[in-house]
Structures are given as structure tokens and as C-alpha cells.
Amino acid sequence: MHTVRKRAGMAATALATALGTALALPASAHATQGQDGAAGAAGAAGEAGAAGAAGTGTRGAVEFSLIDTGAGIPRDGTFRLGDLTEYGIPRQTTEKLAAGERVGEPAPAATTAAAPDYTIVPGGEWKDRDGWDAVMRQGWWNGANGGFGMTKIDQKHNLSLDAVKATTMYPRPGPSGKEQIGPSTYNYRTEALRVQCSGWWIFRTCRVTEVMTVRAGIDYRKLDDGKSFGAVTAFCEGVPGRCPDWVRNSINI
């Protein structure tokens, strides 16, 4: 299904194809029709009108997040909003952000499972960075520490299937990016970047304001269906319980 390090030439097209819908965080409350009219008087009426649903228009603060896919987004400096296309974000997504529009919809919550469910969820088969076959099973969660799979990852840790896919497809470079912790089990780590921009349209100045490490554990031992056990869990390191919504809603997953 629709983020400074270099990683093996993978960027937006591969991520958008595998992960699908792009998501963005709204930067503010809805703008009024009068504000949109004021923006039009400033010479950007069409774009401000399109931005009314998200409330920022072509001028003002914009906030979003993305998964670091190794495309080189600067963490310590600034960049223009329009430069996102150079870092693998589709132009259409960049233009919607510039217009202050909401991009996509938040990932839906996982189905509740009261007992272990080994069914592979829809879209729950993909390949990791090295071409290994990974899966996401429905799993379950007991409300504490017990459980596995999509139910636990979603309900306990507030992460989506797409976030797990992105973490395994674009792990950080080095041994901690894909780390073997058992005979068939690997931990993957990557970073989610929170970005804030100010200014006008695609010329807004943006900077990374927060970095969060996402860890996903995959068990590759085979089950009776011939597929791997799959995702055991995924969470934000250093965060007890649920990851922030801005991690889940990264625009390139």
C-alpha cells in the first residue's frame, strides 16, 4: 500500500506501491470561509479555497510526519516544503500539504481478537529490505503484555500495518537496523520524523522537530500454512503503551 542517510536507492515509488495511502497531520483547526476569502484576496484564492477543509490555506503553519526511508531529509537543518519531492514524497502529496489540505485518512483500527487468531490480515504479506517474506497475522491482545500480531500492535501500541511494513522495508543502516535476537527472530528499527513548516505555499521553511524510533519484531519460523509466524510486536522505543498519533499517521506509509 501510500521518509542525512542513504539507503540503497529505495524511495517514494516503492514505498507508495507497497504501503499505499499517504497520511498527514492537520496543523490547526478548520479555517473559516472568511479566512479563505482573505487568502484569496492575497492572490491565492483557488488554493485557499481548496485548503478550507484543513484550515491552513497556502500560508501559515503546516505539520506532518514521515518515515525516514534514507532519502536524506535533513534532521539538523531546514528545507523547503517543495523539496519533499526530492526526498521521495509524491508531488501530489506535497501540493496538498502546500495548500493546507488534509492528506488521506488515518489507518483504521484493527479488528479485536479475544483468542489467538493466526489468519493473515488483508495486505499482510510483504518483503523486507532483503527480500524476506514477512507476514502480519491477526493475533490477539490480553490487555496487558500478552499477545502478538495486528491486534496487539494496533490496540496496545497504536501502530498500523503500514508502519510495520515501512520499518522492515526501510530499517536504519547498521547492525541495529536489522538485528537477529533469536534463532528465527529479528528486530527492525527505523525513525519517524515530525516536521513543522512555516511560510507560504511550497516555499514554506520546514525543519524536523522530533524523532521517534520505531521497532518491529518479526519471527520467521514457519507455521503449518507454510508462512512465517510473522510480526510479533511493534512499538515506539521509550514510549510506554501507545505511540503518538503523528507516528502512525506518517504521510509516506
Side-chain angles (χ1 to χ4, degrees):
M1 293 190 342
H2 17 227
T3 257
V4 175
R5 301 193 302 254
K6 298 290 182 182
R7 297 186 204 155
M10 290 182 171
T13 303
L15 188 57
T17 300
L19 304 181
T21 307
L23 302 171
L25 296 174
S28 63
H30 293 297
T32 63
Q33 186 174 8
Q35 289 169 323
D36 285 341
E47 290 135 339
T56 56
T58 58
R59 183 178 297 279
V62 168
E63 181 177 311
F64 58 91
S65 59
L66 42 80
I67 295 294
D68 186 356
T69 64
I73 288 184
R75 296 191 188 183
D76 300 322
T78 61
F79 58 94
R80 291 193 317 167
L81 181 63
D83 293 340
L84 284 177
T85 55
E86 299 178 12
Y87 300 121
I89 304 302
R91 182 173 298 279
Q92 182 180 18
T93 300
T94 301
E95 290 175 349
K96 286 184 176 181
L97 289 171
E101 296 182 23
R102 184 187 302 275
V103 182
E105 296 295 334
T111 302
T112 300
D117 182 350
Y118 293 91
T119 303
I120 296 174
V121 302
E125 297 187 61
W126 73 97
K127 294 186 183 296
D128 83 335
R129 177 195 64 189
D130 300 321
W132 296 11
D133 293 320
V135 303
M136 177 70 76
R137 298 182 186 272
Q138 186 63 60
W140 72 295
W141 181 45
N142 67 356
N145 292 323
F148 70 94
M150 193 70 258
T151 299
K152 181 178 182 180
I153 290 169
D154 173 81
Q155 295 181 6
K156 181 177 181 180
H157 297 298
N158 193 35
L159 286 175
S160 64
L161 170 62
D162 291 343
V164 177
K165 286 183 175 182
T167 303
T168 61
M169 293 170 65
Y170 302 96
R172 66 164 66 141
S176 66
K178 181 178 180 180
E179 177 185 18
Q180 186 171 6
I181 61 170
S184 61
T185 306
Y186 289 76
N187 276 343
Y188 297 80
R189 291 178 178 87
T190 197
E191 276 67 50
L193 311 178
R194 191 175 194 178
V195 178
Q196 292 182 343
C197 307
S198 61
W200 176 72
W201 197 39
I202 63 172
F203 305 107
R204 285 179 173 92
T205 299
C206 303
R207 68 173 60 249
V208 174
T209 60
E210 191 171 353
V211 179
M212 184 77 67
T213 297
V214 180
R215 184 195 303 184
I218 307 290
D219 187 343
Y220 285 100
R221 62 190 162 96
K222 299 296 185 182
L223 299 188
D224 291 342
D225 61 1
K227 308 289 187 180
S228 67
F229 179 91
V232 180
T233 191
F235 56 90
C236 292
E237 290 190 347
V239 177
R242 297 173 65 80
C243 291
D245 286 343
W246 66 262
V247 175
R248 181 186 181 105
N249 295 341
S250 295
I251 64 172
N252 60 342
I253 63 174

